[in-house]
Amino acid sequence: MFAQALNLLSQLCLVASSCALVLLVVIFGWLVFGRYVLNVTPTWVEQLSLLLVGYIAFVGSATGVHENTHLGVTLFREMLPGPLREIAEVVADVIMAGFGVVMALACLELMQFGWSTKLPMLNIPESFRTLPALLCGAFTFLFAGSRALVQAGRLLQTKRPTDKQGL
């Protein structure tokens, strides 16, 4: 059930990133239309596009962590024999989860610092620029940490001998 919740959360991240990308294309279309047809440039488009790119990149990359499609150098890990490779995968996921915690905590501090400052043209708190990085850190911790726990559990399981020896 927990795995299904993580899959749903990953899909929500992907949908949110996709919607932000569509919105980015639409607002740039409005920018071109406003500038060249209406002869009135919408100045808010630049600030909103910068904000949307952060959401697209960070929230989308969290999905990549869940689906194990993020950028990674796996050459040396793949060259290891089976048991060592499995241990290396757990260690890599633990490191990734640790990075997610540090990222989330640092971004939380940045969000608190920037809450009183407003973004120009949008009149929303500056912290909305830091929110996608905080979400990415939290989701990275959740996705990589849960995968590390599952893999570590598999490694620690011992096969129980069967009681068919007396037959």
Side-chain angles (χ1 to χ4, degrees), residues 150-164:
V150 168
Q151 289 175 342
R154 279 192 213 134
L155 286 175
L156 295 175
Q157 277 183 346
T158 57
K159 294 184 179 180
R160 296 181 184 180
T162 59
D163 286 342
K164 295 184 178 183

Side-chain angles (χ1 to χ4, degrees), residues 23-98:
L23 183 59
L24 184 69
V25 170
V26 168
I27 67 169
F28 270 107
W30 177 250
L31 173 75
V32 170
F33 181 77
R35 180 177 292 160
Y36 296 109
V37 175
L38 301 177
N39 204 23
V40 177
T41 303
T43 54
W44 54 268
V45 171
E46 179 185 356
Q47 289 299 321
L48 184 57
S49 65
L50 289 172
L51 188 65
L52 288 173
V53 166
Y55 282 89
I56 293 165
F58 283 111
V59 178
S61 67
T63 300
V65 170
H66 177 68
E67 295 176 358
N68 211 11
T69 58
H70 58 85
L71 181 63
V73 180
T74 60
L75 172 69
F76 298 114
R77 186 176 70 198
E78 296 302 320
M79 290 173 41
L80 294 172
L84 288 177
R85 183 178 331 135
E86 292 171 354
I87 292 171
E89 288 173 357
V90 171
V91 169
D93 281 335
V94 167
I95 291 170
M96 180 90 74

